[in-house]
Amino acid sequence: MPFEQLFLALRARSLVVLGVFTLTTAAALIGSLLMPRQYQSTAQILVDINAPDQVSGAVNLDPNPLHIQEVMATLADVIGSDRVIFKVIADLKLLEDQQALAQWKKDAGGKLSANEYFAEFLREHLEIKPTRESSVVALSFTNRSPQFAARVVNSFVQAFLATQIELHSESAKSNVPWFDAHSQQLRETLEKAEERLSRYQQEKGIVVSDERYDAELTRLNDLSAQLTLVQGQRVDSSSRAHEAQGQADAAPDVVQSPTVQKLREDLAQAEAKLQDLSGRLGVNHPQYQSAAADVQTLRSRLAAEVRQVARNVGATNQVNVQRENELRGEIATQKARLLAMRAQRDEATVLQKDVESAQRAYDSANQRLSQDRLASQIDHTNVTLLTEARPPEVHVKPKIRLNTMIGALLGAILGVASALVLEHFERRLRSPGEAARLLNLPILGSMPDGIPPTAGWRRALGWT
């Protein structure tokens, strides 16, 4: 339908549109006025997420918004749980209210118990709304009685706080016996580990300072230094002994011997004296024979001294070899002793670690036991009542202004729809252009608006 035709049709049937609009708006207004009033009371609680732990004093500094949302969702679930709602039912004494029980019998018809019925009723009218980007939770309850709505909200707050305390204390109380028994077992394990360590240290002679091992290690180092010195001496004495066994007269020890040098000087003088006497006296002369005997004696003594020096060099070499072998044996024995002591130390270290591990486990269990004992006696939580619920003065339902506006909008739509339906079933020509378009005929003339149809003929015939 063209816009012009639509406009003309609505203008022609404006009374219908206005009537439907008026009736619908009036019906919405009257219905809103006749609906029972509903009042909503609200209380606010503050959840201190970053509050220090009541036992350990630890502070949760987690700024993650997801963590805050999880905490708020958990609190909402706890508030709406049966445990809290049953406390509210008991606090409001609904099971003793005859009027409430009569309403339960009427509505439930025996399908639900009184507790279940009242719980569903409270859940249906309770709204739990965490405030965005904060730690505040709003609890609202809607009812015909503003006083009852305020009582229900305050009862929910008190029941939730009591449930929070019970949950913390009950969990701690249930943990105390287990941790107490576990601590006793860990203490026995610790005592046994300490006993094994002490017995092993006494059997092996291990002291806490471990001075014995250090002393043995120092002795090994000293023996190693002595072995190095003796090895050098043995190499030198072996070389000298080899030279002394080959050419004893030219051996350094023989050449450097003072006794050999003195005997060689005496032999040289005796030989010179014998040479001098041989030029002047005969071989049978007593002086010559005496000088010859002296030379022979000196040569014998020199040969004996050279052999003695050579034997001394060989003996020194044997002593050095024997000393080297002895030091090697002592070093091997000392190493074996140190290895044994190290094995004992390692075993003692294992036992010491067992003691430390048992000590840590015992301390941890004992600390948790102390924390649970303290937590079982705590009578407050990190939730605080921020705003107490009060009986509201203004109802929240029905919303008369909003319902009237919706009725007016709906009335306008129904009015326009009614006019279009009437126009569809009772079609009329509203303009010359529409007549020409529908009849497919040219327009010869038209009557002005507001002039009766006969007035034109009267004017044409000259009757007026």
Side-chain angles (χ1 to χ4, degrees):
M1 180 181 293
F3 179 76
E4 181 183 2
Q5 182 181 356
L6 176 62
F7 176 74
L8 293 175
L10 293 178
R11 187 179 67 174
R13 302 184 185 277
S14 59
L15 292 178
V16 176
V17 175
L18 182 60
V20 174
F21 172 78
T22 303
L23 289 175
T24 306
T25 304
L29 177 60
I30 295 172
S32 298
L33 292 175
L34 295 178
M35 290 177 62
R37 300 292 187 265
Q38 297 286 333
Y39 296 88
Q40 187 179 69
S41 182
T42 302
Q44 290 182 328
I45 58 176
L46 174 64
V47 183
D48 192 358
I49 298 177
N50 295 327
D53 188 83
Q54 299 164 343
V55 177
S56 64
V59 180
N60 180 17
L61 300 178
D62 186 4
N64 189 356
L66 294 178
H67 173 69
I68 299 177
Q69 295 178 4
E70 291 177 358
V71 172
M72 292 302 181
T74 303
L75 291 179
D77 292 339
V78 174
I79 294 173
S81 64
D82 290 340
R83 186 165 184 170
V84 175
I85 290 182
F86 290 160
K87 289 182 183 295
V88 175
I89 294 174
D91 182 59
L92 298 176
K93 298 181 179 180
L94 295 179
L95 298 178
E96 302 175 6
D97 191 338
Q98 297 301 324
Q99 184 177 359
L101 292 175
Q103 188 67 32
W104 158 63
K105 294 179 181 179
K106 178 182 177 181
D107 296 342
K111 296 180 180 180
L112 297 176
S113 64
N115 269 332
E116 293 174 346
Y117 172 77
F118 292 133
E120 291 297 329
F121 169 75
L122 294 175
R123 281 197 187 95
E124 182 180 355
H125 297 85
L126 178 68
E127 181 182 1
I128 306 170
K129 185 178 181 181
T131 306
R132 180 176 296 180
E133 297 180 357
S134 72
S135 301
V136 177
V137 180
L139 279 72
S140 302
F141 189 81
T142 305
N143 193 261
R144 295 182 181 181
S145 172
Q147 292 78 13
F148 182 76
R151 281 182 58 199
V152 171
V153 173
N154 290 329
S155 180
F156 261 104
V157 171
Q158 297 303 322
F160 169 67
L161 294 177
T163 302
Q164 282 286 92
I165 295 174
E166 290 176 0
L167 291 176
H168 285 83
S169 61
E170 287 178 1
S171 176
K173 288 178 181 178
S174 63
N175 290 336
V176 166
W178 187 87
F179 276 106
D180 192 6
H182 192 57
S183 297
Q184 294 296 331
Q185 295 177 359
L186 292 177
R187 182 178 181 85
E188 294 176 0
T189 302
L190 174 61
E191 292 176 352
K192 291 179 180 178
E194 290 177 343
E195 183 181 356
R196 287 195 301 269
L197 176 61
S198 177
R199 184 170 59 251
Y200 185 80
Q201 288 177 340
Q202 292 177 2
E203 291 176 356
K204 303 300 181 180
I206 300 175
V207 294
V208 178
S209 60
D210 211 4
E211 295 178 353
R212 179 184 173 188
Y213 182 83
D214 296 337
E216 296 295 338
L217 182 61
T218 302
R219 175 170 173 74
L220 176 62
N221 294 331
D222 293 341
L223 291 174
S224 299
Q226 294 179 20
L227 177 61
T228 302
L229 179 62
V230 170
Q231 284 177 339
Q233 294 175 353
R234 192 263 307 163
V235 171
D236 180 64
S237 62
S238 177
S239 175
R240 288 160 51 193
H242 180 71
E243 292 178 353
Q245 291 177 359
Q247 296 179 356
D249 293 340
D253 290 273
V254 175
V255 173
Q256 295 175 2
S257 174
T259 304
V260 172
Q261 292 178 359
K262 181 68 171 59
L263 290 173
R264 284 182 174 178
E265 291 177 359
D266 292 344
L267 178 60
Q269 292 176 1
E271 288 178 345
K273 182 179 178 181
L274 180 60
Q275 184 67 26
D276 179 63
L277 291 175
S278 65
R280 293 184 296 107
L281 301 175
V283 294
N284 293 324
H285 193 277
Q287 292 183 359
Y288 180 86
Q289 290 182 354
S290 177
D294 292 337
V295 169
Q296 188 63 34
T297 300
L298 290 172
R299 285 178 178 175
S300 299
R301 290 179 59 190
L302 178 60
E305 186 64 27
V306 169
R307 289 192 300 271
Q308 183 62 39
V309 171
R311 283 194 298 271
N312 291 339
V313 172
T316 302
N317 182 55
Q318 291 296 327
V319 170
N320 290 334
V321 172
Q322 183 178 359
R323 180 58 179 161
E324 180 182 1
N325 293 332
E326 291 176 354
L327 288 174
R328 289 182 183 276
E330 292 179 5
I331 289 175
T333 303
Q334 192 67 16
K335 285 182 178 180
R337 184 181 295 112
L338 285 174
L339 290 175
M341 293 181 65
R342 183 173 297 177
Q344 295 173 2
R345 286 182 56 192
D346 293 341
E347 182 67 22
T349 301
V350 173
L351 295 176
Q352 182 66 37
K353 289 182 178 180
D354 291 341
V355 172
E356 294 174 355
S357 177
Q359 183 70 50
R360 286 194 299 268
Y362 173 72
D363 292 341
S364 178
N366 200 28
Q367 181 180 5
R368 180 61 185 275
L369 176 61
S370 301
Q371 291 178 356
D372 286 336
R373 283 177 175 171
L374 291 176
S376 62
Q377 302 174 3
I378 292 176
D379 58 354
H380 60 280
T381 65
N382 61 336
V383 181
T384 307
L385 176 61
L386 189 62
T387 304
E388 186 178 6
R390 302 181 185 279
E393 298 180 357
V394 180
H395 61 84
V396 293
K397 293 179 182 180
K399 299 180 179 179
I400 299 176
R401 182 178 300 176
L402 178 61
N403 293 343
T404 303
M405 293 177 61
I406 294 175
L409 178 61
L410 183 60
I413 295 174
L414 291 176
V416 172
S418 300
L420 294 178
V421 170
L422 290 176
E423 186 68 17
H424 176 74
F425 289 102
E426 192 178 334
R427 190 65 179 275
R428 296 184 181 185
L429 298 176
R430 303 296 182 185
S431 66
E434 183 181 2
R437 185 176 64 257
L438 293 176
L439 300 175
N440 197 19
L441 295 174
I443 298 175
L444 299 178
S446 63
M447 297 294 293
D449 294 338
I451 300 178
T454 58
W457 296 102
R458 291 171 183 265
R459 187 180 299 111
L461 296 174
W463 291 352
T464 57

